[in-house]
Amino acid sequence: MEPAVVVDCGSGLTKAGFAGEDLPAVVVPTVVDRTSLAPGAQSGVGSSSLRSVSPVEWGMVSDWEAFETLLRRTAHERLSGAGRALMLTESPDNPKMRRERTTQVAFESVGVAGFYLVQQGLAALFATGRTSGFVLDCGHHVTHAVSVYDGFPLPHLHTRHGVAGRYLTDHLRKLLDKRDVRLDTAAAALAKEQFAEVSPDFSALVADPASAAKKPFRLPDGTSIDIGPEAFECGELLFQPSLVNSPGLGIAEMAHDAIKRSDADVR
């Protein structure tokens, strides 16, 4: 029996591979290029433009046509998924109507032999060999706190927050802008991934920003900039979203709150 195809469509990246393997076989941006005709132009006549569409935003499918194209290209064309079973991840708060539409796309567009939708946090927990636990899933657009007991997610303990990877990237750009250092989104994301960290004593760092070690970051044009306290201020946003007046709990409080609200016999 051929192994099932597993696809994780995130807001930033789509990862796909085969069940039982340690690493995905395909990792691509969750973006689909689409050709648009200029106003008044007819198909094949007049000018057209190519634009990129993000089929998944904030953990939810936002463009079904683009999502269908992405799933077909990833699971069907690149992994020969037609005739195989497909397991696709979903957001913990994905509504029933969207789940039904996703199932329809899987069978009718990809041509799978079987289909299963699994919450991202639940799949991550199963991958560790556990069926009970707490998962903090920080993605591109949104962070989810998911509690699982005996293989079943506990929806009353689920919380989400809009402070995630892209938010941190934008925050780092703003911090560097204050120093008149201009980075595009791609360069800022790379700098974040390389240097962002959490200070064991953030209050002391705020009192004395010069104490933060400066690290050189090489830009695509060959020039270099130093990244110092910005690396800690960027990472601290996950724990203190109030630093930018964002409502909601930090990730430590999200974890503590979920555990505290769970029944004593499942903690």
Side-chain angles (χ1 to χ4, degrees):
M1 183 177 178
E2 293 182 315
V5 173
V6 180
V7 180
D8 176 25
C9 288
S11 302
L13 294 174
T14 292
K15 299 172 284 290
F18 298 103
E21 296 187 355
D22 293 332
L23 298 173
V26 176
V27 180
V28 295
T30 307
V31 173
V32 173
D33 292 331
R34 178 181 293 167
T35 302
S36 302
L37 292 175
Q42 298 179 356
S43 178
V45 181
S47 61
S48 62
S49 60
L50 189 67
R51 64 187 181 93
S52 296
V53 177
S54 298
V56 180
E57 295 180 338
W58 299 99
M60 300 281 190
V61 176
S62 56
D63 188 313
W64 285 101
E65 181 180 351
F67 175 73
E68 181 177 335
T69 299
L70 177 68
L71 193 60
R72 186 172 59 248
R73 290 177 179 174
T74 304
H76 178 55
E77 298 176 7
R78 302 190 65 169
L79 297 179
S80 302
R84 294 176 183 258
L86 170 66
M87 185 173 77
L88 182 69
T89 62
E90 64 171 346
S91 172
D93 46 7
N94 197 24
K96 181 181 179 182
M97 181 179 66
R98 290 177 178 268
R99 304 182 86 235
E100 293 173 347
R101 180 74 180 273
T102 304
T103 304
Q104 180 182 356
V105 169
F107 281 107
E108 297 182 2
S109 181
V110 183
V112 299
F115 182 66
Y116 183 67
L117 268 174
V118 60
Q119 289 188 18
Q120 292 157 333
L122 185 61
L125 185 66
F126 285 170
T128 68
R130 298 176 176 86
T131 57
S132 297
F134 173 80
V135 179
L136 190 67
D137 181 11
C138 186
H140 185 67
H141 275 162
V142 64
T143 296
H144 290 282
V146 180
S147 298
V148 182
Y149 180 69
D150 202 18
F152 293 93
L154 305 177
H156 64 287
L157 299 178
H158 166 248
T159 55
R160 61 174 286 164
H161 200 292
V163 174
R166 178 58 187 266
Y167 203 107
L168 266 63
T169 299
D170 292 340
H171 184 52
L172 180 59
R173 290 183 67 187
K174 293 176 181 177
L175 291 172
L176 293 173
D177 279 347
K178 295 178 181 179
R179 291 173 40 197
D180 293 328
V181 176
R182 305 288 188 264
L183 296 183
D184 59 21
T185 300
L190 183 60
K192 175 195 69 177
E193 292 165 4
Q194 289 185 6
F195 301 115
E197 53 186 309
V198 178
S199 171
D201 190 350
F202 184 70
S203 58
L205 181 69
V206 172
D208 184 17
S211 63
K214 294 185 179 180
K215 302 175 182 179
F217 175 62
R218 190 175 182 84
L219 300 175
D221 62 1
T223 61
S224 295
I225 62 171
D226 288 332
I227 297 181
E230 297 86 3
F232 296 99
E233 294 179 60
C234 174
E236 188 66 22
L237 199 59
L238 285 173
F239 295 87
Q240 297 190 61
S242 58
L243 292 174
V244 291
N245 298 319
S246 177
L249 302 175
I251 58 174
E253 293 170 315
M254 289 173 68
H256 179 266
D257 180 68
I259 295 172
K260 185 178 180 180
R261 289 192 293 119
S262 63
D263 294 337
D265 57 345
V266 300
R267 289 179 183 172

